[in-house]
Amino acid sequence: MRTGLRTGLGTGLRTQGPDRAAAPCLLTLCLGCLHVVALKPQLLTRLGGSSHSTDTPISYDTFYFDQRIDHFGFLEDGTFKQRYLVADEHWQRPGGPILFYTGNEGDITWFCNNTGFMWDVAEELGAMLDSKHLNYLSSEQALADFAVLIKHLKSSSPGAEQSPVIAVGGSYGGMLAAWFRMKYPNIVVGALAASAPIWQFPGMVPCGDFYRIVTQDFAKSGNACDANIRKSWKAINNVSSTASGLQWLSEEFSLCAPLKSSIDAVGFKSWLQETWVNLAMVDYPYPANFLQPLPRWPIQVVCKFLALDPSVSDYELLHGVAQAAKVYYNYTGSSPCLNTSQTATGSLGLLGWFYQACTEMVMPMCADGVHDMFEPQDWNLQAFSDECNAMFGVRPRADWAGTVYGGKDIASHSNIIFSNGGLDPWSAGGVTSNITDSLVSILIPDGAHHLDLRYRNDQDPPSVRAARALEVMYFREWIRQAKKTQPRCP
Ligand SMILES: *[C@@H]1O[C@H](CO)[C@@H](O)[C@H](O)[C@H]1NC(C)=O
Ligand SMILES: *[C@@H]1O[C@H](CO)[C@@H](O)[C@H](O)[C@H]1NC(C)=O
Ligand SMILES: *[C@@H]1O[C@H](CO)[C@@H](O)[C@H](O)[C@H]1NC(C)=O
Ligand SMILES: *[C@@H]1O[C@H](CO)[C@@H](O)[C@H](O)[C@H]1NC(C)=O
Ligand SMILES: *[C@@H]1O[C@H](CO)[C@@H](O)[C@H](O)[C@H]1NC(C)=O
């Protein structure tokens, strides 16, 4: 069932830039075997300071690697061209560390553009960036792809042989980064798993936490904001019960395709629900374009339209909801109509994600309408499984992720940072307390979905600056450990 469609951001080699000539201590690297990278002294202050480099140009080269289609069976002997991107502008060879970006569920170049932290840090660590796109179809194959690719690069790239590799990823890519370190500690010295919900699997965390966090974000961003969204579902039911009401709703929301029936109204409500969830993920402190172009603290802007008195009519309430939704869908003013078949940019690669959710990434979620602002929804594995079967002809294996990746029983692993934002609903399934000295949780109370992986910005809250500084400190420690235990110098 695998296709050759996987793509990625990875590493390859170009000639050294003038920068690296100015780092002579690296040439003696392996004599000492203790020194690792020539870290620039200003590293921590720059990361913690107020400088920002949002306009750092991104440059990388694209390469292809003949990757095995199936690492685990012996019948399928074919290969596919795996795309990977390399940025070695700041790489100090030999032995400079390699940051390996563990892909994501979307277009790799798009994610790469939204992961400025890698570029900021690479400059500071003298690192080579290396990343690839996930295998849509199974995380185990993707991890094996990473391992094979890194071994290949280290043996074929002059100066990379002794380079410690650190896996970095956010969201699903963060889960892959953490699991990569767990399953292949021989390949990567550590991992930064940002906003990685490795516990959002059956039986590990309460299914309602996710929507509760979304609700909290709205509750604290404006007057009665969550209460009015909670009320809006019934208002939609009321209004959509007549043909003229459906027409009014369609016009009020400037929908591309008018609602025709109460079944359409159900789809319309899920689309709105997804819209509020997406806003919670991207509630960043500065204007950003992750899922959509948005203003700073977009939920506060949305909530301005929802600060309505409890006595307003269904129509007045829904007028406010429409204005609020348009903050998300029409912030740039260039959207002719709202398309209820879309909630995010096309780069997210949702179909691939749906497939994974329908196979091994089964993530229970539920709502009760009391502790959250959504309509009550039970988690129903059977119904979910039937949907998957209808869409892809597969049924999920709900317990597999827990079996293959250890569930909550991961204390025997080491060198993984789990960072989570307090505003991010995915933190519900994340590791939010320290497990051991080297399985560390970093909390960013004012952070949304992997804010720490984004470029530094003048409007970054102190908590994310501190998180990045701590992350770099752990990177340095892992690199130091790796060099210490390297068997010998060539
Ligand atoms: C990523 O950034 C590069 C350079 O700024 C740009 O050319 C490219 O179109 C961007 N890709 C996406 C998918 O946003
Ligand atoms: C929906 O209709 C019911 C019955 O007419 C009414 O009591 C209620 O106030 C309306 N609106 C909402 C938001 O429940
Ligand atoms: C989006 O904003 C522009 C500019 O304000 C407006 O002309 C257009 O009608 C809006 N689109 C929608 C779908 O509301
Ligand atoms: C709405 O989105 C769907 C799915 O992306 C797309 O196929 C369709 O063409 C879009 N409709 C309009 C009017 O843009
Ligand atoms: C985990 O330990 C680190 C290092 O002591 C500390 O900075 C961090 O705040 C701790 N995380 C949590 C969630 O307590």
Side-chain angles (χ1 to χ4, degrees):
M1 285 288 289
R2 291 171 92 215
T3 67
L5 288 174
R6 299 178 290 168
T7 51
L9 171 72
T11 188
L13 299 163
R14 278 182 321 191
T15 52
Q16 289 191 309
D19 262 19
R20 273 178 302 254
C25 56
L26 283 176
L27 300 174
T28 63
L29 171 78
C30 280
L31 294 177
C33 273
L34 287 175
H35 267 101
V36 197
V37 211
L39 288 171
K40 294 179 192 166
Q42 73 273 27
L43 173 65
L44 294 178
T45 48
R46 269 201 61 187
L47 283 177
S50 63
S51 72
H52 82 124
S53 54
T54 20
D55 28 36
T56 306
I58 292 173
S59 76
Y60 47 76
D61 295 325
T62 303
F63 297 87
Y64 293 88
F65 176 64
D66 285 321
Q67 186 67 264
R68 198 172 274 294
I69 290 172
D70 184 3
H71 295 283
F72 302 109
F74 291 84
L75 291 177
E76 168 59 75
D77 211 20
T79 60
F80 68 97
K81 296 271 179 216
Q82 176 170 40
R83 178 160 66 124
Y84 60 98
L85 313 180
V86 177
D88 60 353
E89 193 188 336
H90 302 291
W91 190 41
Q92 293 169 328
R93 74 183 66 157
I98 297 174
L99 299 181
F100 186 87
Y101 182 56
T102 49
N104 238 329
E105 64 269 29
D107 178 318
I108 188 64
T109 60
W110 174 74
F111 268 95
C112 158
N113 288 3
N114 278 284
T115 311
F117 175 73
M118 298 271 294
W119 308 94
D120 285 344
V121 170
E123 190 177 343
E124 304 300 340
L125 288 177
M128 174 168 74
L129 286 169
D130 187 348
S131 160
K132 78 160 274 299
H133 193 45
L134 77 131
N135 159 19
Y136 273 156
L137 302 172
S138 113
S139 58
E140 297 94 310
Q141 298 276 14
L143 298 179
D145 288 351
F146 295 159
V148 170
L149 179 61
I150 290 177
K151 284 197 86 157
H152 163 78
L153 291 167
K154 289 184 79 165
S155 63
S156 64
S157 310
E161 215 170 324
Q162 302 285 337
S163 291
V165 181
I166 294 173
V168 176
S171 198
Y172 178 58
M175 299 165 76
L176 291 177
W179 295 334
F180 193 31
R181 168 64 189 171
M182 292 179 193
K183 295 292 179 188
Y184 298 91
N186 54 322
I187 308 275
V188 282
V189 302
L192 168 58
S195 298
I198 63 161
W199 287 342
Q200 190 68 46
F201 293 108
M204 298 186 201
V205 293
C207 63
D209 285 1
F210 183 91
Y211 287 119
R212 208 170 302 164
I213 294 172
V214 177
T215 304
Q216 283 161 10
D217 293 350
F218 283 80
K220 66 183 171 206
S221 299
N223 218 349
C225 197
D226 58 326
N228 278 317
I229 291 177
R230 186 180 288 113
K231 230 171 82 182
S232 70
W233 312 115
K234 277 215 177 80
I236 293 171
N237 293 346
N238 284 356
V239 169
S240 66
S241 64
T242 65
S244 61
L246 284 167
Q247 191 190 341
W248 180 86
L249 267 181
S250 308
E251 281 166 14
E252 193 63 29
F253 281 81
S254 314
L255 299 183
C256 302
L259 305 173
K260 294 251 156 61
S261 65
S262 52
I263 294 174
D264 288 352
V266 172
F268 172 73
K269 285 189 289 183
S270 345
W271 169 77
L272 267 183
Q273 171 168 333
E274 233 181 281
T275 305
W276 308 139
V277 168
N278 285 350
L279 273 160
M281 283 170 59
V282 299
D283 197 20
Y284 294 128
Y286 47 83
N289 180 3
F290 182 48
L291 301 177
Q292 297 277 355
L294 288 172
R296 73 184 296 246
W297 297 124
I299 297 185
Q300 288 181 12
V301 180
V302 160
C303 285
K304 286 194 181 126
F305 296 104
L306 292 166
L308 302 165
D309 191 86
S311 63
V312 297
S313 71
D314 288 346
Y315 290 90
E316 285 166 298
L317 173 61
L318 294 176
H319 173 74
V321 172
Q323 299 301 109
K326 286 177 184 180
V327 171
Y328 183 75
Y329 291 107
N330 194 25
Y331 178 58
T332 56
S334 59
S335 167
C337 59
L338 268 47
N339 187 340
T340 57
S341 315
Q342 288 179 339
T343 50
T345 156
S347 298
L348 254 184
L350 279 181
L351 195 65
W353 175 252
F354 287 157
Y355 181 82
Q356 291 206 287
C358 277
T359 52
E360 53 177 11
M361 299 290 121
V362 180
M363 300 187 160
M365 286 183 194
C366 59
D368 62 12
V370 178
H371 301 97
D372 55 66
M373 60 186 190
F374 298 99
E375 286 187 300
Q377 294 148 49
D378 291 333
W379 165 248
N380 181 337
L381 179 62
Q382 188 56 50
F384 180 71
S385 175
D386 291 346
E387 246 179 84
C388 289
N389 195 38
M391 194 170 354
F392 298 111
V394 296
R395 289 191 181 275
R397 294 178 195 158
D399 294 329
W400 178 240
T403 304
V404 72
Y405 297 120
K408 299 202 106 171
D409 197 3
I410 55 173
S412 60
H413 297 289
S414 66
N415 293 4
I416 304 173
I417 302 167
F418 297 96
S419 63
N420 278 288
L423 306 177
D424 180 17
W426 291 106
S427 66
V431 177
T432 49
S433 58
N434 286 331
I435 298 179
T436 65
D437 283 353
S438 79
L439 287 189
V440 184
S441 159
I442 297 180
L443 300 180
I444 308 164
D446 342 279
H449 201 46
H450 51 66
L451 175 63
D452 49 335
L453 289 192
R454 300 181 64 82
Y455 278 119
R456 289 188 291 265
N457 188 290
D458 286 341
Q459 297 177 75
D460 276 331
S463 61
V464 75
R465 296 178 190 200
R468 289 187 188 125
L470 201 54
E471 287 161 6
V472 173
M473 206 194 74
Y474 280 103
F475 286 6
R476 296 173 69 172
E477 173 59 21
W478 299 337
I479 294 166
R480 201 184 59 78
Q481 282 172 6
K483 290 289 172 174
K484 218 162 146 178
T485 54
Q486 233 158 38
R488 61 181 184 83
C489 303

